[in-house]
Amino acid sequence: MGSRRIEFVIAENPPKRLDKAVSRDVPEEAALSRTRLARLIGEGALTVDGAVVQDPKANVAAGAVIAIEVEEAEDSHIGPEDIPLEIVFEDDDLIVINKPAGMVVHPAPGSPSGTLVNALLHHFGGNLSGVGGVKRPGIVHRIDKETSGLLVVAKSDAAHQGLATQFEKHTVERYYQAICYGVPDGNDPRLRGVKGASFEPGNILKLTTHLARHKTDRQRQAVLFQGGRHAVTRARICESFGNPPCAALIECWLETGRTHQIRVHMAHAGHSLVGDPTYGGRRKLPAKALSEEAQDAVRAFPRQALHAAVLGFGHPVSGEPLRFEAPLPQDMAELLAALRQ
C-alpha cells in the first residue's frame, strides 16, 4: 500500500498538547480529521523534529517540524452493490440521498447487504478519498430502516469531521413529517399532564426527557428522567383528520438526535405514529370518525409514518449554507389522501 508524507511547522502560540496543536496547524488539503490524527499519533506515524512521538499529550513548541506518514486509504470490506439511489445533491465532499423506506443505512449482522453503504460504494466506483483510512462513506447520522427521507454522507475525512461537529453542536436543521394517532393539541388537559411535555407559543408541543436503551427489550428506547441521554423534540399540528379528530399530520424537529427519538417521544405523549410496530401498535380508531377507506388505510399502513423532509447544514469545506427538501413518499401521500376523504 502506498503512502503520502505531510510536513508542516507548528505556528505561534500553539496549544500545549501535541494532538491539539497538530489538529490546529495541519494543512487543510491534508483532509485529516482530529480522530484520524489521534489514531496516526498512536500508531507512531508522526514525528516532531525527526523523532517519533506517540503521546498525544506531549508538549510541542512553535517552530517544531511535524511530519506524518499517511497510508493511502484501503478498500472497505463492505462490497459494492448496484442499488438505485435518489441523489439530491453531490460534490467532491459529500452526497445527499433521499433514502426509501425499507433500506438499512449501514451493514449489520441482521442486514449484511442491500444497504445504503453498499449502494454508495457502487455509485462512487472507487472514486472515494476515504474516511478514517478506509475507502468508505462517512456516516454521520442515520435514519431508521423504515423511515424515509434525507441523509447526508461524507466522502472525505475533512467533510466527515465538519459534518460531525455540526451534528454534535445541534446546528443541523432537521424537520420530519409524521402521521400520528390523536391530535397533540395544547388544549388537551391529558397531554398537559404528561411528564416532560409542555407547550410553546403557536401550539408547539415540546417533549423534554432522557432516553436510554430499554432494560428488557434491547430493540427499544425508553423514556427516563434520570440517567440516559438528554433529548428534546418539538412538534406542531399541520392537519387533523376525522370527526371527532382522531389522527394528525405533524411536523417534528429535533434539538437533539437520539435513536428512535421522535417515535418514542410521540408514543410517550400518547400520540404514537401510525404503523409503528415498536412503539405504536395498532390503535383502535373511533368507529365513525373516519371513512371505512381511511380506517383500512391506517390499519394496513406497513411502517412508521415518518419522513425526514428537510435537511439543512453548512457545507463542511466551503461553509456555504445548504438546505434540501424531499416530498412525502407515495405511501404516506396515499395515506393522507385516504384520511382526507
Side-chain angles (χ1 to χ4, degrees), residues 50-222:
V52 174
V53 179
Q54 291 181 264
D55 181 3
K57 298 179 182 179
N59 290 330
V60 64
V65 177
I66 306 297
I68 310 173
E69 290 290 336
V70 183
E71 290 187 344
E72 296 299 339
E74 62 186 42
D75 290 334
S76 170
H77 68 282
I78 302 170
E81 296 180 40
D82 187 3
I83 302 170
L85 291 171
E86 183 179 341
I87 298 169
V88 178
F89 174 85
E90 183 176 13
D91 65 9
D92 291 340
D93 301 295
L94 57 87
I95 186 169
V96 177
I97 300 293
N98 185 14
K99 186 188 83 67
M103 175 181 274
V104 175
V105 172
H106 198 280
S111 304
S113 62
T115 72
L116 177 63
V117 170
N118 295 110
L120 286 171
L121 286 170
H122 180 272
H123 170 71
F124 296 142
N127 184 24
L128 189 63
S129 61
V131 175
V134 179
K135 289 182 179 179
R136 60 178 173 85
I139 304 297
V140 291
H141 70 126
R142 304 187 189 198
I143 53 179
D144 299 332
K145 175 183 177 181
E146 297 300 342
T147 299
S148 57
L150 295 169
L151 196 76
V152 60
V153 179
K155 296 168 67 174
S156 67
D157 261 327
H160 190 266
Q161 183 64 46
L163 289 168
T165 298
Q166 292 181 62
F167 276 94
E168 288 168 8
K169 293 182 177 179
H170 310 305
T171 59
V172 177
E173 180 186 12
R174 284 179 290 174
Y175 283 86
Y176 291 74
Q177 290 179 301
I179 302 170
C180 68
Y181 290 104
V183 182
D185 195 305
N187 295 316
D188 181 355
R190 179 205 62 81
L191 185 52
R192 286 189 172 273
V194 172
K195 188 173 182 180
S198 61
F199 278 86
E200 296 179 334
N203 203 24
I204 294 171
L205 170 64
K206 180 181 179 183
L207 295 161
T208 307
T209 74
H210 290 197
L211 296 180
R213 195 179 294 275
H214 196 282
K215 288 183 178 180
T216 58
D217 186 347
R218 308 303 287 173
Q219 303 302 311
R220 292 167 58 94
Q221 297 290 308

Side-chain angles (χ1 to χ4, degrees), residues 176-318:
Y176 291 74
Q177 290 179 301
I179 302 170
C180 68
Y181 290 104
V183 182
D185 195 305
N187 295 316
D188 181 355
R190 179 205 62 81
L191 185 52
R192 286 189 172 273
V194 172
K195 188 173 182 180
S198 61
F199 278 86
E200 296 179 334
N203 203 24
I204 294 171
L205 170 64
K206 180 181 179 183
L207 295 161
T208 307
T209 74
H210 290 197
L211 296 180
R213 195 179 294 275
H214 196 282
K215 288 183 178 180
T216 58
D217 186 347
R218 308 303 287 173
Q219 303 302 311
R220 292 167 58 94
Q221 297 290 308
V223 167
L224 304 174
F225 292 93
Q226 289 184 338
R229 304 180 73 188
H230 179 65
V232 180
T233 303
R234 287 177 172 83
R236 69 174 183 88
I237 304 163
C238 299
E239 189 175 354
S240 61
F241 310 101
N243 185 21
C246 59
L249 170 66
I250 58 173
E251 181 180 61
C252 302
W253 58 102
L254 302 175
E255 186 172 311
T256 57
R258 311 299 183 204
T259 302
H260 297 177
Q261 181 174 318
I262 291 173
R263 297 165 62 193
V264 69
H265 263 171
M266 292 309 298
H268 171 69
H271 295 283
S272 55
L273 303 191
V274 168
D276 191 335
T278 305
Y279 302 101
R282 298 293 174 183
R283 285 175 51 170
K284 190 172 182 180
L285 295 166
K288 295 184 179 180
L290 295 167
S291 68
E292 286 189 19
E293 183 180 351
Q295 294 260 11
D296 290 344
V298 170
R299 282 192 291 265
F301 201 74
R303 66 175 180 98
Q304 63 262 14
L306 182 62
H307 175 66
V310 176
L311 181 63
F313 53 90
H315 192 287
V317 176
S318 71

